[in-house]
Amino acid sequence: MSRPSPQSTERPRRHEPDPRKRRSRRAMEGALLELVAERDLSRLSVSDVTRRARVHRTTFYEHYTDVHDVAASACTQMFDELVDATPVFRIGQRADAIDVTGGSAADRERGHAELTAVFAHIAEHAELYRALLGPEGSARVIDHLLRRINVAVHVNRVGTAATTHADDPEESPHDPAAALLSGALMGVITDWLRRGCEGTPEQLSAAVAEHFAGAVGRA
């Protein structure tokens, strides 16, 4: 079940002006990521996080409501940083597909490589994503990731002069095709996590590209 939190996962929060607050958040979120690699999120306490981050409990409650809240914040920020660094590409183009939109084979191959990198990131932090995207996970995290993927897919479809997704808008216009594809990708991610991340990120990316080939063209 998702848990309410006064903290927003909106991307501008990453640029919080107070450096001390920013350092505290990064320390606690970093501690959470280390701890969740050692044992299940459900077994972690606030004391575990504050001890690992070397901050006081009062500092913790200035930023978060509970361990699940700091996990959600760490997850969304980590995913945002990943997407921000991702070159703008066109998801779903096979390297051997006929591209009627004018994209090059190099563009399509880059899209496959970047999608593989996203799956590799999910696999690297599988325990955290499994905890937050599973049956007892966070609706807030699911919504954030889905919206971020939707914007990225929309940008891929309409084209942009930007080289990465760091300058993507917070929202995109109504784009049913982008919504369809982003929802499908979230479905692939959650199913893969549920199955223990079977296979490799490269294999999963190839399987997705095979079925999505040509589905993302210039709008």
Side-chain angles (χ1 to χ4, degrees):
M1 179 181 298
S2 62
R3 306 179 188 185
S5 167
Q7 295 296 331
S8 169
T9 56
E10 294 293 329
R11 292 169 61 198
R13 183 187 56 72
R14 301 206 312 272
H15 307 296
E16 194 170 1
D18 189 332
R20 291 174 299 178
K21 291 183 178 180
R22 189 163 57 247
R23 283 195 298 270
S24 294
R25 292 187 71 96
R26 285 194 175 275
M28 289 182 282
E29 291 174 9
L32 186 283
L33 293 177
E34 292 177 3
L35 288 164
V36 84
E38 299 171 5
R39 56 186 185 275
D40 292 342
L41 179 63
S42 61
R43 296 174 54 198
L44 297 179
S45 67
V46 171
S47 294
D48 291 328
V49 176
T50 56
R51 187 180 306 114
R52 180 68 62 92
R54 297 183 178 181
V55 300
H56 198 274
R57 287 178 67 92
T58 56
T59 301
F60 180 95
Y61 288 112
E62 288 175 0
H63 299 276
Y64 310 105
T65 58
D66 55 22
V67 171
H68 197 89
D69 190 27
V70 66
S73 181
C75 181
T76 53
Q77 175 160 313
M78 185 169 59
F79 191 79
D80 281 344
E81 290 174 349
L82 170 74
V83 176
D84 283 350
T86 299
V88 173
F89 62 93
R90 288 151 73 186
I91 296 173
Q93 299 284 1
R94 286 199 318 263
D96 62 346
I98 297 174
D99 185 5
V100 297
T101 64
S104 68
D107 289 336
R108 296 190 296 275
E109 190 62 30
R110 184 181 67 180
H112 172 71
E114 295 303 333
L115 187 56
T116 297
V118 171
F119 290 140
H121 163 82
I122 297 294
E124 180 182 358
H125 303 283
E127 293 305 319
L128 176 64
Y129 280 105
R130 190 174 292 116
L132 293 174
L133 302 181
E136 300 299 321
S138 169
R140 180 162 62 93
V141 171
I142 294 171
D143 179 71
H144 181 87
L145 268 58
L146 186 57
R147 287 159 66 98
R148 189 72 206 274
I149 294 172
N150 184 70
V151 170
V153 172
H154 171 77
V155 169
N156 290 333
R157 280 172 44 75
V158 301
T160 175
T163 57
T164 72
H165 286 287
D167 295 323
D168 282 358
E170 294 298 323
E171 295 286 347
S172 64
H174 181 51
D175 185 345
L180 173 67
L181 293 169
S182 57
L185 285 173
M186 275 293 291
V188 169
I189 289 170
T190 55
D191 180 71
W192 194 47
L193 287 166
R194 183 174 63 84
R195 297 175 186 277
C197 297
E198 296 177 353
T200 67
E202 291 80 6
Q203 291 170 333
L204 183 60
S205 180
V208 169
E210 179 180 355
H211 292 285
F212 284 0
V216 181
R218 297 301 182 189

